[in-house]
Amino acid sequence: MTTVSTQKERNIAAETATRSVSGYIYDLKKYAIHDGPGIRTTVFLKGCPLDCWWCHNPESRDPKPEPRGNMRPIKNLPLLEGNGHSIGAKVSVAALMQEIRKDVLFFDESGGGVTFSGGEPLMQPEFLIALLRTCKTEGIHTVVDTSGYIPFRVIKETAPWTDLFLYDIKLMDESLHKKYTGVSNRRILDNLLQMDQGGYPLLIRIPLIPGFTDTDGNLEAIRNFLLEKTRIRDVELLPYNSMGESKYERLGLDYRPGKHAMPAEEEMATKRAFFREKGFRVRE
Ligand code: SF4
């Protein structure tokens, strides 16, 4: 017998399918205030195609869970299968949304929402899009924090469900970018140009790594690129944070940039002023 499904039945079937999609995460941070507007829940997806020397989350790079060593389990999702035995765990959209919904009140009151970070969250497009769609359906503001090193069609697929992209620019010199991140910056810059042309909502984030990305020459090259090639005027400078070094120790890995002090506030103010003098809006 042939059954003719109604639109409502088809919607329910589509929603059920979305909620059963699953992917790999390695952390979930609540009450985050530096990952987009307002108070946010940040979900850290596993897997990254880059290998930045200064990466604060080296446990993010492997796309699948890996031996935990002495890293802590994901504290906000204690019941996840595998959590506590490995770095990262598989989680369904439905389970993750249950946790996310607990903080909707904070999102609403602060103008916040959910940020999907990594690793590189766009490396799990089906999972990410299912999460983004579900959030948007429920009226939750969405941010995607990306390295930009991903096929443009994947970025394009996520765009309808993304309120803001946090987009990293690390180094303008291609050979230095290859040396310190493992990949060329061409795809990253090309994607950024396409996103700008398409009117995507963008906030550029520049990690300031002493002696690597924070040099006057690199910051000037980034500023000139944005001024000359794009309409993007929102930037954020991310001060170096030495806390990442201790994580490398716990993981038994070498911290390749070496030890550095955190920047003084005057130094940050000078670097922010460098962008502001050309009309950029610099987030703090
Ligand atoms: S892009 Fe980000 S997550 Fe990936 S290696 Fe670089 S700093 Fe780490």
Side-chain angles (χ1 to χ4, degrees):
M1 188 172 79
T2 310
T3 51
V4 179
S5 59
T6 63
Q7 185 59 46
K8 189 176 174 193
E9 285 168 338
R10 285 197 293 276
N11 288 347
I12 290 170
E15 196 178 314
T16 306
T18 296
R19 279 157 201 269
S20 64
V21 172
S22 56
Y24 295 98
I25 68 167
Y26 70 93
D27 206 355
L28 184 142
K29 184 170 70 177
K30 293 190 170 217
Y31 317 118
I33 52 168
H34 296 295
D35 298 330
I39 296 173
R40 313 194 69 81
T41 292
T42 303
V43 182
F44 295 86
L45 277 70
K46 226 165 160 355
C48 186
L50 276 67
D51 176 20
C52 303
W53 279 30
W54 48 82
C55 180
H56 269 192
N57 298 317
E59 76 276 31
S60 70
R61 291 190 205 131
D62 192 326
K64 293 281 165 61
E66 56 201 297
R68 186 162 74 89
N70 56 0
M71 295 294 290
R72 65 173 173 75
I74 305 171
K75 71 170 186 263
N76 288 307
L77 287 168
L79 300 179
L80 269 191
E81 194 182 331
N83 191 14
H85 303 292
S86 57
I87 297 173
K90 193 171 188 181
V91 61
S92 69
V93 170
L96 204 43
M97 287 307 301
Q98 261 185 13
E99 197 55 43
I100 287 169
R101 277 189 211 105
K102 290 179 185 169
D103 294 318
V104 163
L105 203 61
F106 294 107
F107 304 158
D108 289 348
E109 287 195 354
S110 67
V114 181
T115 297
F116 297 100
S117 184
E120 171 50 72
L122 290 155
M123 271 185 76
Q124 299 186 63
E126 189 194 10
F127 180 47
L128 178 62
I129 290 170
L131 286 164
L132 290 168
R133 284 177 74 124
T134 310
C135 285
K136 289 314 300 170
T137 307
E138 298 185 17
I140 298 172
H141 184 272
T142 56
V143 168
V144 172
D145 177 15
T146 179
S147 68
Y149 191 78
I150 212 80
F152 182 70
R153 68 172 168 73
V154 176
I155 298 175
K156 198 172 168 188
E157 280 167 19
T158 61
W161 319 103
T162 304
D163 291 310
L164 177 66
F165 287 95
L166 304 180
Y167 201 97
D168 280 9
I169 301 185
K170 300 174 175 75
L171 285 158
M172 286 304 292
D173 182 282
E174 189 184 4
S175 59
L176 292 179
H177 199 280
K178 265 190 195 156
K179 180 173 179 184
Y180 295 124
T181 74
V183 302
S184 160
N185 58 7
R186 284 208 186 155
R187 168 184 267 177
I188 295 167
L189 299 178
D190 286 351
N191 282 343
L192 185 61
L193 294 179
Q194 289 198 67
M195 291 173 83
D196 179 46
Q197 279 159 16
Y200 292 30
L202 283 156
L203 170 62
I204 301 297
R205 302 223 290 186
I206 306 167
L208 298 177
I209 314 301
F212 292 83
T213 63
D214 77 338
T215 63
D216 292 348
N218 186 49
L219 296 181
E220 186 168 9
I222 293 173
R223 191 179 76 170
N224 288 346
F225 173 81
L226 293 173
L227 275 176
E228 290 164 14
K229 302 261 171 73
T230 78
R231 293 165 297 176
I232 304 165
R233 296 296 178 264
D234 288 302
V235 301
E236 185 175 6
L237 304 179
L238 305 175
Y240 177 75
N241 186 335
S242 58
M243 272 161 50
E245 294 167 22
S246 60
K247 194 186 267 186
Y248 276 74
E249 270 173 34
R250 274 185 285 150
L251 286 164
L253 299 171
D254 280 342
Y255 187 66
R256 290 169 285 179
K259 288 200 182 304
H260 296 277
M262 312 236 290
E265 189 41 51
E266 304 84 71
E267 191 186 334
M268 289 302 300
T270 304
K271 289 185 166 30
R272 289 187 189 113
F274 176 73
F275 280 86
R276 284 188 177 127
E277 72 191 21
K278 291 290 181 185
F280 285 91
R281 295 175 289 271
V282 184
R283 304 279 174 97
E284 294 194 35

